[in-house]
């Protein structure tokens, strides 16, 4: 029997909310009030989780923001992104454990392999450091004594008192297409996240990741991060996509893409390749539109269509083995409401990891 899918939304903490892509709107700038509004709309709309993204140069801090909104939520989980290269792992463990307490066990964590601001590591050592951070976090959040001697960290200490050793650990969501990223995910992640791609490429990546995880005696769950534009008819959805891009200056779009710290990553390059492969309207396959990537680094494509078309696309992804979805749209609060009205009630969905499940 197939498990329900986890359906998540996205709060625009990283200066990434627009009515017209590339045209800043002060009312949509990242702030406590605006981003909190998106979170609460997702809670009211029935979403299972919401991603709080993180980017050093952009927007507001994800961990601090999570602490502000956690007490407001009654049932929804938070997927808090942490750029682990920027954090001291024992203190990060304490912060995450505190958030998990505030959420009554509903914390999930998006691990990002990042540089220290102002420094840069090559891919191999950066991912090696990320793996050490994930191992340290898992040990401390389990309530166990840490004895870690690695290339980047040499630590001997007990866990902070705040950790919850008898409940489930906050699951780690992690993405990346390079070999180094895939190896880290296979060894230490709970959910491997993908950005949009053609169906055949998704299938190839999932097959590879299952083999890598099996070689380490592990099982992975799989997630998909994608934008969405849903309207009552396909014509209306396509018109909304055209309107979203109608005021974009391509020079400004390029500047926006370059601001991101991951602008040269393997995954970002793949999003650019899809734009090159797309048709004249930006569609790379049925209902998958790449136009958003003209003014955005990272996830650069959207499912565009009427409710039945969006549902069909999700079901195709489900048949491949994807069972956690992180959707977003522009403006984020408005598109959240549209998805909650037109699509969410027709999906069998729920949290991917129950807080009662011990690990």
């Amino acid at each position: 029997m197939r498990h329900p899918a986890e359906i998540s939304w996205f709060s625009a903490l990283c200066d990434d909310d627009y009515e017209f892509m590339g045209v800043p709107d002060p009312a949509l700038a990242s702030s406590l009030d605006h981003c909190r509004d998106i979170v609460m709309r997702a809670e009211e709309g029935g979403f299972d989780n919401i991603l709080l993204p993180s980017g050093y140069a952009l927007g507001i801090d994800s961990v601090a923001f999570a602490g502000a909104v956690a007490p407001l939520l009654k049932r929804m989980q938070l997927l808090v992104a942490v750029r682990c290269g920027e954090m001291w792992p024992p203190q990060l463990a304490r912060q995450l454990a505190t958030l998990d307490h505030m959420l009554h066990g509903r914390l999930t964590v998006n691990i990002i392999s990042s540089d220290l601001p102002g420094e840069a590591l090559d891919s191999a050592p950066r991912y090696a450091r990320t793996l050490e951070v994930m191992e340290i976090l898992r040990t401390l959040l389990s309530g166990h004594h840490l004895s870690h001697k690695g290339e980047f960290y040499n630590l001997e200490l007990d866990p902070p008192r705040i950790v919850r050793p008898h409940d489930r650990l906050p699951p780690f969501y992690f993405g990346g297409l390079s070999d180094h990223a895939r190896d880290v995910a296979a060894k230490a992640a709970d959910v491997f996240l993908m950005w949009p791609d053609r169906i055949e490429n998704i299938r190839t990546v999932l097959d590879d990741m299952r083999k890598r995880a099996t070689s380490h005696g592990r099982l992975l769950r799989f997630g998909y991060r994608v934008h969405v534009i849903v309207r009552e008819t396909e014509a209306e959805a396509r018109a909304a996509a055209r309107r979203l891009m109608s005021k974009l200056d391509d020079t400004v779009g390029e500047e926006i893409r370059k601001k991101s710290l991951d602008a040269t990553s393997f995954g970002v390059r793949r999003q650019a390749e899809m734009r090159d492969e797309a048709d004249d309207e930006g569609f790379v396959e049925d209902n998958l539109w790449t136009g958003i990537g003209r003014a955005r680094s990272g996830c650069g494509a959207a499912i565009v269509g009427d409710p039945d078309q969006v549902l069909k696309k999700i079901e195709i992804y489900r048949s491949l083995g994807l069972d956690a979805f992180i959707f977003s749209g522009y403006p984020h609060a408005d598109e959240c409401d549209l998805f909650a009205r037109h699509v969410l009630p027709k999906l069998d969905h729920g949290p991917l990891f129950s807080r009662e499940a011990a690990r």
Side-chain angles (χ1 to χ4, degrees):
M1 181 177 178
R2 190 169 72 173
H3 295 290
E6 179 174 276
I7 306 298
S8 305
W9 197 249
F10 175 94
S11 186
L13 271 66
C14 295
D15 298 329
D16 179 43
D17 205 0
Y18 299 96
E19 181 178 359
F20 298 97
M21 293 297 286
V23 181
D25 182 343
L28 301 178
S30 297
S31 67
L32 171 60
D33 289 344
H34 177 59
C35 296
R36 180 185 58 207
D37 180 55
I38 298 171
V39 170
M40 299 314 296
R41 298 272 276 271
E43 164 108 335
E44 293 161 7
F47 288 86
D48 305 308
N49 204 342
I50 187 163
L51 174 60
L52 308 181
S54 176
Y56 172 76
L58 303 169
I60 58 179
D61 182 73
S62 59
V63 175
F65 177 80
V69 298
L72 306 178
L73 300 180
K74 305 301 182 185
R75 52 154 203 90
M76 191 171 65
Q77 297 184 346
L78 288 183
L79 177 55
V80 181
V82 293
R83 303 182 67 85
C84 59
E86 301 170 7
M87 308 283 195
W88 181 246
Q91 178 58 19
L92 176 57
R94 187 168 184 261
Q95 290 175 303
L96 295 177
T98 301
L99 286 174
D100 204 28
H101 269 262
M102 296 170 71
L103 288 161
H104 305 288
R106 302 194 310 275
L107 179 69
T108 56
V109 182
N110 178 201
I111 298 285
I112 300 173
S113 182
S114 68
D115 286 316
L116 211 58
E119 297 181 359
L121 281 178
D122 290 337
S123 178
R126 177 165 52 81
Y127 277 106
R129 180 173 64 189
T130 299
L131 181 59
E132 287 192 35
V133 171
M134 294 170 79
E135 291 170 344
I136 291 167
L137 290 177
R138 198 175 291 277
T139 298
L140 291 176
L141 290 171
S142 298
H144 298 147
H145 177 83
L146 176 69
S147 182
H148 181 91
K149 292 179 172 55
E151 180 182 355
F152 296 93
Y153 301 99
N154 188 349
L155 299 169
E156 189 82 32
L157 76 165
D158 289 328
R161 179 195 64 78
I162 195 71
V163 299
R164 307 172 74 232
H166 303 299
D167 203 348
R168 71 145 172 88
L169 300 178
F172 294 163
Y173 293 55
F174 181 86
L177 285 181
S178 69
D179 275 339
H180 297 132
R182 296 188 195 200
D183 284 342
V184 169
K187 293 174 182 176
D190 298 295
V191 181
F192 179 73
L193 287 175
M194 292 188 64
W195 283 336
D197 210 331
R198 293 178 182 269
I199 295 296
E200 60 268 26
N201 292 340
I202 294 172
R203 183 180 292 111
T204 298
V205 172
L206 294 182
D207 288 345
D208 176 62
M209 290 306 304
R210 289 186 183 102
K211 291 175 184 176
R212 291 180 191 240
T214 299
S215 71
H216 296 287
R218 305 185 71 244
L219 291 174
L220 278 175
R221 307 291 290 272
F222 297 101
Y224 196 61
R225 164 86 183 95
V226 64
H227 306 286
V228 64
I229 300 175
V230 61
R231 298 294 184 272
E232 291 185 1
T233 68
E234 181 181 17
E236 289 174 315
R238 288 185 172 232
R242 290 192 296 271
R243 181 181 184 276
L244 180 63
M245 309 306 295
S246 63
K247 297 184 179 182
L248 177 66
D249 181 313
D250 282 332
T251 302
V252 173
E254 184 178 6
E255 290 173 355
I256 292 171
R257 294 197 305 272
K258 288 181 177 179
K259 285 181 183 179
S260 174
L261 294 181
D262 67 357
T264 60
S265 74
F266 194 101
V268 170
R269 290 200 301 272
R270 176 57 196 147
Q271 298 297 290
E273 290 170 0
M274 282 203 300
R275 292 196 297 277
D276 294 337
E277 297 166 2
D279 65 20
D280 291 343
E281 294 186 65
F283 286 85
V284 72
E285 66 180 13
D286 289 347
N287 302 107
L288 188 64
W289 176 67
T290 64
I292 281 177
R294 290 170 54 203
R296 192 184 195 282
S297 185
C299 174
I303 303 171
V304 176
D306 64 35
D308 289 340
Q309 290 171 319
V310 173
L311 284 164
K312 180 180 178 181
K313 197 74 173 176
I314 294 170
E315 283 304 313
I316 292 171
Y317 295 142
R318 293 278 282 140
S319 71
L320 298 176
L322 294 164
D323 53 10
F325 295 88
I326 304 169
F327 295 108
S328 58
Y330 296 90
H332 290 292
D334 294 344
E335 201 69 41
C336 175
D337 290 344
L338 287 163
F339 190 93
R341 183 193 319 156
H342 291 300
V343 181
L344 193 57
K346 300 176 183 179
L347 288 169
D348 180 21
H349 68 96
L352 199 60
F353 298 93
S354 167
R355 60 181 163 173
E356 289 83 18
R359 304 190 315 135

